Each structure stands twice: as C-alpha cells, then as structure tokens.
C-alpha cells in the first residue's frame, strides 16, 4: 500500500529544514519565527487550539524563571500556523525578560501579524510565584470579516464548551 499526500501546501516552509534539520532562531521572540501555510477551508469557521505546557521566560526585575502553559486558540482566515515554528517561537522566550501581561499581549500581536486570523486568544496560565497565580488572557477579533457574526457564534460556543481556567 502506498502513501498519500494531502492538499496542504508546504513547499515554502523553512523551519523544518531539509531532511528534518531544524533551523533555530534564538535572538529572541518575534513574529518572523512563525511560519504559516494556506487554510484549505477559509469559508468555514473552525477553532484551532495549540497548547505549549513547557513555557519559560525570565522576570525582568529578578531574572528568576517564570513557568507556565501558553494556549493559543484561533479561527483561521487564510493562514494556519505551522506547529514546529510555534514551538520554536515559544522556545525564543526562554531567555527573554518580560512581565507576564506583556508576554501574553505581545504573543497575541505576533500571532495576529503572522496569521491575520478571524479570531485569536492567547491564554497565559502562569505557574504560581510567591503563592500567587497569574493568568493573562488577550483576545482579538477581525471585525471587518464578512462572516464575523458566524465567527463570534463559533467562538462563543467554543468558550462555553471549553471553559477552562475561567475563560
């Protein structure tokens, strides 16, 4: 029995490299690390949920490590994020110093820049430090999308069904 190949267009992807070699960009987080490929179902609002439970960065005041889970949820328009590039983007935060609120909002800005999604939410579920747990949620809707009412309905239902961590 032979192998089959989907209709996904992947020729332009660079992160995975040739022969499986990974191209690491360690100069810090930026939207250019995120690679995308075409959405084969642009007229259908559906949710993509990507979780990264091994997130680390550094406190800008103490230099101490912060840990957490980053969850990116989005309704794609024309582009989908390539998952390995998402992982490398998260790795780029390891030596980055920033407050958690800034991190979640910067990630949202980078995802919106790379994907131009119909909707996107970043959930930063940070591990307790000093007996205090901090969760940061940042959200974006593409308000000029022609099917924004349908997108909002899909997102609302998703939130109802997946109400983890209070949002």
């Amino acid at each position: 029995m032979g192998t089959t190949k989907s209709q996904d267009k992947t020729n332009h992807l660079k992160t995975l490299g040739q022969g499986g070699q990974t191209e690491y960009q360690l100069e810090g987080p930026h939207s250019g690390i995120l690679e995308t490929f075409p959405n084969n179902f642009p007229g259908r609002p559906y949710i993509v949920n990507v979780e990264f439970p091994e997130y680390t960065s550094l406190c800008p005041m103490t230099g101490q490590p912060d840990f957490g889970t980053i969850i990116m949820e989005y309704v794609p328009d024309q582009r989908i994020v390539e998952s390995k590039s998402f992982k490398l983007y998260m790795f780029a935060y390891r030596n980055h110093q920033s407050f958690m609120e800034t991190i979640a909002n910067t990630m949202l800005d980078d995802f919106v820049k790379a994907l131009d999604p119909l909707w996107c939410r970043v959930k930063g579920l940070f591990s307790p430090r000093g007996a205090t747990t901090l969760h940061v949620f940042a959200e974006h809707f593409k308000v000029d999308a022609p099917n924004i009412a349908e997108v909002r309905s899909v997102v609302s239902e998703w939130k109802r069904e997946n109400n983890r961590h209070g949002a």
Side-chain angles (χ1 to χ4, degrees):
M1 182 168 200
T3 61
T4 61
K5 182 129 173 107
S6 76
Q7 61 204 18
D8 296 325
K9 294 169 183 60
T10 60
N11 297 0
H12 67 286
L13 297 176
K14 304 277 187 257
T15 300
L16 294 176
Q18 299 301 315
Q21 293 283 30
T22 300
E23 203 176 283
Y24 291 96
Q25 299 180 27
L26 300 175
E27 66 274 6
H30 59 88
S31 64
I33 298 171
L34 297 165
E35 291 193 311
T36 65
F37 59 91
N39 177 11
N40 290 325
F41 308 96
R44 178 185 305 155
Y46 63 96
I47 306 282
V48 176
N49 176 291
V50 186
E51 296 190 23
F52 190 78
E54 299 176 359
Y55 175 82
T56 60
S57 63
L58 301 172
C59 172
M61 299 303 293
T62 66
Q64 295 294 310
D66 288 319
F67 301 93
T69 296
I70 301 295
I71 301 169
M72 181 188 50
E73 304 164 326
Y74 68 104
V75 175
D77 189 2
Q78 299 300 311
R79 297 188 299 273
I80 305 287
V81 71
E82 191 280 318
S83 60
K84 181 130 187 199
S85 74
F86 175 83
K87 180 172 76 170
L88 295 175
Y89 175 82
M90 291 295 148
F91 286 168
Y93 275 92
R94 285 190 173 170
N95 293 318
H96 180 75
Q97 293 185 320
S98 194
F99 288 121
M100 296 169 198
E101 297 86 352
T102 301
I103 287 166
N105 281 282
T106 299
M107 285 180 178
L108 178 65
D109 290 345
D110 286 348
F111 296 144
V112 168
K113 182 176 179 182
L115 297 169
D116 192 27
L118 298 172
W119 169 76
C120 187
R121 176 170 60 175
V122 173
K123 294 172 26 173
L125 310 175
F126 298 98
S127 299
R129 283 187 88 205
T132 302
T133 299
L134 182 64
H135 292 169
V136 181
F137 298 2
E139 186 172 59
H140 164 83
F141 274 96
K142 187 176 187 177
V143 295
D144 61 346
N147 59 342
I148 194 63
E150 185 181 6
V151 169
R152 286 186 184 275
S153 176
V154 167
V155 167
S156 182
E157 182 63 25
W158 169 256
K159 287 179 179 180
R160 246 189 320 279
E161 291 177 6
N162 297 282
N163 191 12
R164 294 184 297 176
H165 308 291

